[in-house]
Amino acid sequence: MAKTSSVEKNNRRKHLSSAHAAKRAALKKVVMNRELPVEDRFEATLKLAQLPRNGAKVRVRLRCELTGRPRGNYRKFQLSRNMLRDLASSGQIPGLTKASW
């Protein structure tokens, strides 16, 4: 089980990234546009730097929904490998069975 503080911190990052996504995308579009004057692009870079760092989507960590484990996760199920195996063995994930031969 992960520390509650790290799970909550990640949830705050998710919220911030969704709140600032549109603003961040607009500023990045200005920065990457080579046809605009350098002054405008630099001003957009400064505004982008003033936004909170945790507002970037890159800062969000994929964690297991049940345990909060940060590593060994399957994106499709949003579960860690341990929980996925337990739930698959008990038949709680539809269409997924543990291989045996």
Side-chain angles (χ1 to χ4, degrees), residues 32-88:
M32 295 300 188
N33 190 355
R34 295 277 191 172
E35 297 173 359
L36 292 176
V38 176
E39 294 83 19
D40 293 345
R41 293 174 60 205
F42 183 70
E43 187 177 321
T45 305
L46 293 177
K47 286 182 182 176
L48 191 62
Q50 288 177 350
L51 291 176
R53 281 187 174 181
N54 285 337
K57 195 171 188 295
V58 172
R59 304 275 290 220
V60 177
R61 178 82 184 187
L62 177 66
R63 289 183 173 270
C64 176
E65 289 291 317
L66 299 177
T67 61
R69 181 181 165 87
R71 297 184 179 189
N73 290 306
Y74 288 86
R75 288 183 185 275
K76 183 175 182 178
F77 301 105
Q78 294 183 349
L79 294 172
S80 66
R81 57 187 174 80
N82 306 330
M83 291 295 106
L84 184 69
R85 182 174 180 183
D86 289 343
L87 292 175

